[in-house]
Amino acid sequence: MTRRLRALGALTDDHQAALASLPRRERRYPRGAVLRRADELNTRVFCVVEGWALRYRLLDDGARQILSLMMPGDMCDMQALIGADSDHFVVAATDLVIEECAASEFQALLQDDETLAEVFLRSKLQEESILREQVVRLGQLKAPQRVLHLVVELAQRQKMTGVDEPWRLQHPLGREMLADFLGLSPVHVSRSLALLSRLELIDTRRGCVSLPDPDRAAEYCQFDPSYLSVRTEGCETAA
């Protein structure tokens, strides 16, 4: 989490020590486990340590709309800081490790440290920007562009956490999950992945998705990283 936050603001060793001092506990969930339910009052916030999680809404007819993906370093349940009920579900997309702490403890830390409060505010603004970009992705991009735009975004977010190969995603996203996220049918997702592979914009071998040429991929799907509010450097090529 601190590596991700450093991309949004200046954190000193003292700030990192303050975060590390929060009373917290580690929890592990198997893939498919529901962490949070809609209309549930939560009193704890958590950070993803290992694995991926999904936020989603369920409609009355059982249809699911995935709202966002949470990767290592992402915070969840910030609505607990104001005592608000959750309006969505959170489920483990992979085997998941989180660290959680009482919302009251986290809120007290932010009240005592203006710099940390500002950095976490930037984090929430970034989350809003990602949701706005999802609206544009669903409303204006063609199916192959939607798929590639999401892959590029996830790679950029992964880069923020300092992983060795940011352009290689060990992703948990099957075709049905991508369909629920991108407003497509599984058939359209399969056709889009096949086209992107033929165009050599993605490589789906070895159980992951990688970007052989991130700049070319970004151009194809009209990806502009400015909405992530981070300074981007020259793109690297996936090994």
Side-chain angles (χ1 to χ4, degrees), residues 12 32 122 194:
T12 65
R122 290 185 184 184

PDB file of all heavy atoms in Angstrom, residues 12 32 122 194:
ATOM      1  N   THR A  12       6.997  10.183   4.107  1.00  0.00           N
ATOM      2  CA  THR A  12       8.267  10.042   4.794  1.00  0.00           C
ATOM      3  C   THR A  12       8.293   8.715   5.553  1.00  0.00           C
ATOM      4  O   THR A  12       7.282   8.007   5.646  1.00  0.00           O
ATOM      5  CB  THR A  12       8.468  11.191   5.789  1.00  0.00           C
ATOM      6  OG1 THR A  12       7.470  11.078   6.822  1.00  0.00           O
ATOM      7  CG2 THR A  12       8.337  12.544   5.095  1.00  0.00           C
ATOM      8  N   GLY A  32     -13.738 -16.789  -4.370  1.00  0.00           N
ATOM      9  CA  GLY A  32     -15.196 -16.880  -4.353  1.00  0.00           C
ATOM     10  C   GLY A  32     -15.825 -16.476  -3.036  1.00  0.00           C
ATOM     11  O   GLY A  32     -17.055 -16.305  -2.968  1.00  0.00           O
ATOM     12  N   ARG A 122      -6.318  11.803  -2.156  1.00  0.00           N
ATOM     13  CA  ARG A 122      -5.913  11.629  -3.558  1.00  0.00           C
ATOM     14  C   ARG A 122      -6.214  10.214  -4.036  1.00  0.00           C
ATOM     15  O   ARG A 122      -6.616   9.999  -5.188  1.00  0.00           O
ATOM     16  CB  ARG A 122      -4.423  11.918  -3.710  1.00  0.00           C
ATOM     17  CG  ARG A 122      -4.053  13.378  -3.530  1.00  0.00           C
ATOM     18  CD  ARG A 122      -2.583  13.591  -3.813  1.00  0.00           C
ATOM     19  NE  ARG A 122      -2.177  14.971  -3.560  1.00  0.00           N
ATOM     20  CZ  ARG A 122      -0.973  15.446  -3.804  1.00  0.00           C
ATOM     21  NH1 ARG A 122      -0.043  14.662  -4.312  1.00  0.00           N
ATOM     22  NH2 ARG A 122      -0.692  16.708  -3.538  1.00  0.00           N
ATOM     23  N   ALA A 194      -9.185 -12.801 -29.170  1.00  0.00           N
ATOM     24  CA  ALA A 194      -8.569 -13.418 -30.349  1.00  0.00           C
ATOM     25  C   ALA A 194      -8.040 -12.359 -31.311  1.00  0.00           C
ATOM     26  O   ALA A 194      -6.938 -12.483 -31.855  1.00  0.00           O
ATOM     27  CB  ALA A 194      -9.579 -14.320 -31.058  1.00  0.00           C
TER      28      ALA A 194
END
